[in-house]
Amino acid sequence: MALSATLHTFAVQLADVDRGVYVDLDLRVARHPSETAEYMLTRVLAYCLEYEEGIAFSEGGISATKEPAVVVRDLTTSVTAWIEVGAPDVDRVHRGSKLAGRVAIYTHHDPAKVLSQLPAKRIHQGTEIPLYSFDPGFIESAVPAIQRRNNVTLSITERLLYLDINGTAVQTQIERHSLR
């Protein structure tokens, strides 16, 4: 018998001073059995950091092959932003760059290793795609606080992220890297 996804809820108070976004979010995140807690948390953070009208988690979750982890669609359902998480495949990033007006990658891995696997020459407009990473140990220090129901306060100012998840407070600088 196959294992089913575990549903996690995140009640997020988001204050992104850098973008002028102040909103309360009620996220329901299905965590696939093969998905790590680190990946799931990075996926939630990417959603919050990219939050805008039309944003959604992909329908198939981690097993979706034709969609990114997070997608933004306009009112006509056209993809306007393709947001990948982790260490995405070059072909997926290339496809997303051709399909969407904007692409971004958020990783919980060593950014140098992810960058070495994503040669910009093989990706449509690869030099324009940002890769965002967090300080080493940030995700790992927040993961133990994750429960099935989560209360989250997330503040971003000058690319410094302050995260409080169920009473555990951590912070990190959000680093922007280029795929060059």
Side-chain angles (χ1 to χ4, degrees):
M1 184 160 117
L3 296 173
S4 61
T6 303
L7 185 65
H8 293 268
T9 60
F10 292 84
V12 181
Q13 291 180 325
L14 174 63
D16 189 338
V17 177
D18 293 348
R19 298 186 309 129
V21 175
Y22 305 93
V23 66
D24 290 339
L25 303 170
D26 185 22
L27 305 177
R28 285 168 176 61
V29 181
R31 180 177 169 201
H32 190 274
S34 66
E35 182 178 6
T36 66
E38 291 82 4
Y39 183 94
M40 180 183 69
L41 180 56
T42 305
R43 190 161 54 107
V44 169
L45 291 173
Y47 183 101
C48 293
L49 291 166
E50 294 287 334
Y51 181 79
E52 65 179 276
E53 193 67 36
I55 195 166
F57 292 112
S58 70
E59 292 287 323
I62 194 170
S63 60
T65 57
K66 302 246 188 243
E67 288 188 349
V70 179
V71 65
V72 179
R73 296 181 189 278
D74 64 15
L75 294 175
T76 67
T77 70
S78 295
V79 175
T80 59
W82 182 283
I83 299 124
E84 289 285 359
V85 172
D89 180 71
V90 158
D91 294 333
R92 284 175 60 99
V93 177
H94 176 72
R95 180 176 184 274
S97 182
K98 291 182 91 173
L99 185 66
R102 184 172 60 82
V103 176
I105 303 167
Y106 288 83
T107 191
H108 55 289
H109 299 293
D110 176 357
K113 288 181 182 177
V114 175
L115 288 169
S116 71
Q117 297 171 4
L118 293 171
K121 287 185 237 171
R122 292 191 44 213
I123 300 171
H124 179 71
Q125 297 180 336
T127 57
E128 297 174 26
I129 298 173
L131 170 77
Y132 297 106
S133 67
F134 309 105
D135 292 338
F138 166 74
I139 295 290
E140 293 78 6
S141 64
V143 161
I146 296 175
Q147 301 169 10
R148 295 279 300 275
R149 297 189 195 306
N150 301 280
N151 290 308
V152 178
T153 303
L154 183 61
S155 301
I156 303 102
T157 182
E158 296 181 7
R159 298 309 282 174
L160 189 58
L161 183 148
Y162 300 93
L163 173 67
D164 183 295
I165 183 164
N166 300 321
T168 299
V170 290
Q171 69 181 43
T172 184
Q173 189 71 39
I174 303 168
E175 295 293 332
R176 186 181 197 278
H177 310 271
S178 176
L179 299 189
R180 294 181 198 173

